[in-house]
Amino acid sequence: MKSFVAVCCLSFLLGLVAVVEGDEDYTEDEEMILSLILQDDTQPEAESRPSAQFYRCTKDAWRMPGQYIVVMRNGTHVNQVERTARRLRAKAAKRGYLIEILQTYSGAFHGFLVKMSSDVLHMAVKLPHVEYIEEDSSIFAQSIPWNLQRILQNKHETGKYSPPNDGAKVGVYLLDTSVQVTHREIEDRVMVTDFNSVPEEDGVRVHRQASQCDSHGTHIAGVVSGRDSGVARGASVNSVRVLNCQGKGTMSGALAGLEYIQSSLMSQPIRPVILLLPFVGGFSRTLNAACRKMVESGAVLIAAAGNYNDDACLYSPASEPEVITVGAVNFADQPLSTGTTGTNVGRCVDVFAPGDDIISASSDCSTCFTTKSGTSQAAAHVAGIAAVLLNLNPNSSSAELLQQLLRHSVKQVINPESLPLIHRLATPNMVVALPDPTSTLTGEDLLCRSVWSERSAVKGFATATSRCRHGEEMLSCSSFSQNGARAGERVEERDGQKECVAVNGNGGQGVFAVARCCTGHKAQCQMLESPQRGADAECPPDHQLTGCSSSSSSGDASDSDRPLHGVRRACPAKRGVTSSYASCCHTTSLECRLKEHDSTGLSEQVEVSCEDSWTLTGCQGLSRGSVVRGAFAMGNNCVVHTSGGDKGAAAIATCCRHHPSYQPSDH
């Protein structure tokens, strides 16, 4: 009976060998394999030889266990390579292991690639003619992905991504899907929290493979801090799961996630800390309020603008003014558009970032990469750059950080024609970049940005209101109307916060209010109104004038005269018609001056810029006979639009800076 079983087994193995090896006749080898299989394990092999060396990659994350390159000794013939491979298969089969020969080599060296269990290694290293065995490992292209190259400002180091620092002092909370923490890109960089608040997946045949459930979160985590694809490669990421395997969540789940983070920060404070929100929902007062509360507690919140080719103000958390909202651009620095989808735009977007074909970690395997597109990827870039900036200035507030992001950004690269007309002026034309290595910018530098309101109604004297975010000071207020019918602007205070209020004029098509919001001024500022209509609004003797506004009681266009910046600092008004408003700041460190430029020819736009060491705090248009449709700051430029005549207008910029002798205090 025993001999019958042995014969049957031998017949099966011979058949297996025949199948594996094809039609070739290996009678001699078959006899060798059979002799190995029948060999008594208690008897030593006839030839005792030293074991070959075994090597593996020095980078653990790049290793590929289970796949090995067997290198033969010099002078080994091709047939000896094949015999050695078959011998290894036979010895493995005897102990119940299956192996697969994936590749043979006969050019630069002789050997073969084998897929097998590591338990077979001790047999492989004792095979005759084997010089050594090396575990297979990953290799990677060394060109910088376009998105990382784009955010660099030190372009001279071609082929090398070298940010000013790695953001190691900063913690990031990622509210997303689950994350594959074993991926080589983010291993030991991401901690999965115990929070999980997601709805059931839609449909009855949803397969919850890890590769699907982790897909979005793994990719985003890789963009933030991945070893090779990350922006801030030292930042630690905490995963908070609020999206299910289909990338879907609920407002209530996101609110619970924010509450969980707030509780965690109270028990274990992290500072500085960034909350990355790579998702959108419909407009939600509750979610916006919760985000605002988190910013007030000291966190920086960064959100995706949304991928709906729409106004970002219609979505949450993108619409919350205290959140840094990020739109996406492609390789050409133009708004991301893919078929019927594309980046949201408008006044609620703060800045743009690369978001098209972004390479990062794939959840398909621990060494896989993939490309994804969207405003989630763009927001992840800003989170990484924010970590680098906070690593430099850890005490920066959310408002100061946004100003720094804008100062370092690349400006006027987006084609305005690619934006819807209604959003063309209010959408920031800025794409984020890392700070230049030579930059000396700190959290105490005077930095300003423009904040647009939504357009007012078209009825006479309808108003539009713009506000600065918490931690910013409004240093001027201006207005703009497409047809020039506006009654000016004024500054009001409500609940302790200044508001820039623009007034629609007679026959107007709606008006926009534009607030100039600044940080780093280190001054006590106030908005002073003229004592009566037609009178000047004047600053006290020890104050600097940072901007002027005026409004008309008649509903007609309101344009005041040139600001006074001599011994007397004041905003003039038209006699008996307008009220003027002066933004006056008391500080010994600040100095301000005017810069003016007239239009030439039939141009309907005139601009004037402040020099590099000066910051634009106020912008006015002075008519030379044409209708001034409005004046507003764009970056460090004062822009005035005119219509209805060839006499043009002048653009008048108020430029301020800290005295060169001013020394910022230590944080």
Side-chain angles (χ1 to χ4, degrees), residues 227-251:
R227 283 180 171 84
D228 294 306
S229 59
V231 177
R233 298 172 181 180
S236 60
V237 177
N238 300 280
S239 169
V240 179
R241 190 181 184 215
V242 297
L243 303 178
N244 66 16
C245 298
Q246 296 171 325
K248 181 178 179 181
T250 62
M251 286 292 179

Side-chain angles (χ1 to χ4, degrees), residues 32-33 36-37 85-95:
M32 176 266 292
I33 293 171
L36 285 169
I37 293 174
R86 289 193 293 274
R87 185 181 185 92
L88 177 59
R89 181 185 289 112
K91 293 174 83 64
K94 181 181 178 182
R95 289 164 175 79

Side-chain angles (χ1 to χ4, degrees), residues 93-214:
K94 181 181 178 182
R95 289 164 175 79
Y97 294 100
L98 291 178
I99 70 170
E100 182 181 0
I101 306 300
L102 303 176
Q103 174 79 43
T104 58
Y105 305 97
S106 59
F109 70 98
H110 284 77
F112 56 90
L113 176 65
V114 58
K115 186 175 183 179
M116 64 184 184
S117 167
S118 59
D119 294 338
V120 183
L121 271 174
H122 74 282
M123 291 180 267
V125 294
K126 291 185 176 297
L127 290 171
H129 310 296
V130 174
E131 180 74 18
Y132 64 87
I133 297 176
E134 181 178 331
E135 185 180 69
D136 205 356
S137 58
S138 300
I139 60 174
F140 306 95
Q142 293 303 292
S143 59
I144 304 177
W146 80 266
N147 50 301
L148 296 183
Q149 183 69 35
R150 186 57 44 84
I151 64 175
L152 284 174
Q153 296 206 38
N154 53 331
K155 306 292 186 183
H156 60 280
E157 293 193 64
T158 305
K160 182 179 181 182
Y161 176 70
S162 52
N165 62 72
D166 62 0
K169 299 177 183 177
V170 182
V172 178
Y173 277 91
L174 171 61
L175 288 82
D176 207 310
T177 66
S178 53
V179 174
Q180 187 187 115
V181 294
T182 57
H183 196 285
R184 60 163 293 275
E185 272 290 280
I186 56 177
E187 192 174 19
D188 300 326
R189 299 174 186 221
V190 177
M191 186 195 80
V192 177
T193 67
D194 58 1
F195 181 85
N196 188 347
S197 179
V198 298
E200 286 292 321
E201 286 78 6
D202 297 330
V204 296
R205 300 187 63 185
V206 174
H207 299 286
R208 297 180 177 85
Q209 295 102 329
S211 61
Q212 291 181 352
C213 296
D214 301 346

Side-chain angles (χ1 to χ4, degrees), residues 191-447:
M191 186 195 80
V192 177
T193 67
D194 58 1
F195 181 85
N196 188 347
S197 179
V198 298
E200 286 292 321
E201 286 78 6
D202 297 330
V204 296
R205 300 187 63 185
V206 174
H207 299 286
R208 297 180 177 85
Q209 295 102 329
S211 61
Q212 291 181 352
C213 296
D214 301 346
S215 176
H216 194 267
T218 302
H219 195 269
I220 296 300
V223 174
V224 175
S225 64
R227 283 180 171 84
D228 294 306
S229 59
V231 177
R233 298 172 181 180
S236 60
V237 177
N238 300 280
S239 169
V240 179
R241 190 181 184 215
V242 297
L243 303 178
N244 66 16
C245 298
Q246 296 171 325
K248 181 178 179 181
T250 62
M251 286 292 179
S252 57
L255 289 166
L258 291 175
E259 190 168 283
Y260 170 85
I261 294 171
Q262 189 172 39
S263 176
S264 299
L265 291 174
M266 289 179 65
S267 60
Q268 291 184 317
I270 301 174
R271 187 68 186 268
V273 63
I274 297 170
L275 274 61
L276 176 55
L277 314 174
F279 58 83
V280 297
F283 182 86
S284 168
R285 293 181 183 275
T286 311
L287 181 58
N288 284 6
C291 291
R292 188 162 59 249
K293 190 74 173 178
M294 292 297 297
V295 174
E296 290 172 359
S297 69
V300 172
L301 271 66
I302 298 172
N307 304 331
Y308 298 101
N309 265 330
D310 204 353
D311 183 353
C313 294
L314 301 177
Y315 303 85
S316 288
S319 55
E320 170 51 44
E322 297 294 333
V323 169
I324 299 173
T325 299
V326 187
V329 293
N330 60 20
F331 178 81
D333 287 330
Q334 300 310 305
L336 175 64
S337 180
T338 53
T340 58
T341 65
T343 181
N344 286 350
V345 296
R347 64 185 180 88
C348 286
V349 175
D350 292 301
V351 73
F352 287 86
D356 189 24
D357 282 338
I358 306 302
I359 188 168
S360 183
S362 167
S363 57
D364 289 340
C365 73
S366 62
T367 57
C368 294
F369 287 79
T370 190
T371 58
K372 291 181 181 290
S373 302
T375 54
S376 292
Q377 281 67 32
H381 281 82
V382 174
I385 295 176
V388 172
L389 291 172
L390 288 171
N391 211 74
L392 292 169
N393 301 298
N395 293 322
S396 294
S397 66
S398 179
E400 291 170 336
L401 175 67
L402 174 57
Q403 295 279 7
Q404 293 169 38
L405 284 167
L406 299 181
R407 173 56 66 91
H408 293 301
S409 67
V410 181
K411 300 167 182 67
Q412 305 304 312
V413 291
I414 298 174
N415 180 7
E417 299 295 325
S418 65
L419 299 169
L421 181 61
I422 188 64
H423 298 302
R424 196 162 291 170
L425 293 177
T427 301
N429 199 325
M430 302 182 186
V431 179
V432 292
L434 287 160
D436 188 281
T438 61
S439 172
T440 58
L441 192 68
T442 70
E444 296 198 10
D445 285 277
L446 177 62
L447 302 173

Side-chain angles (χ1 to χ4, degrees), residues 536-537 545-549 560-566 568-573 581-582 593-596 618-622 650-654:
D536 297 346
L545 177 63
T546 62
C548 292
S549 303
S560 59
D561 292 328
R562 181 183 293 100
L564 304 176
H565 262 269
R568 181 170 174 259
R569 300 181 179 96
C571 299
Y581 304 83
R593 68 184 186 187
L594 294 183
K595 191 173 180 186
E596 185 174 336
C619 176
Q620 285 179 264
L622 182 61
I652 303 174
T654 301

Side-chain angles (χ1 to χ4, degrees), residues 596-608 622 624 626 640-643 645-651:
E596 185 174 336
H597 182 67
D598 281 274
S599 59
T600 57
L602 298 175
S603 173
E604 293 189 345
Q605 179 173 313
V606 57
E607 298 184 24
V608 62
L622 182 61
R624 303 296 192 195
S626 298
V640 176
H641 284 220
T642 65
S643 62
D646 59 357
K647 295 183 180 180

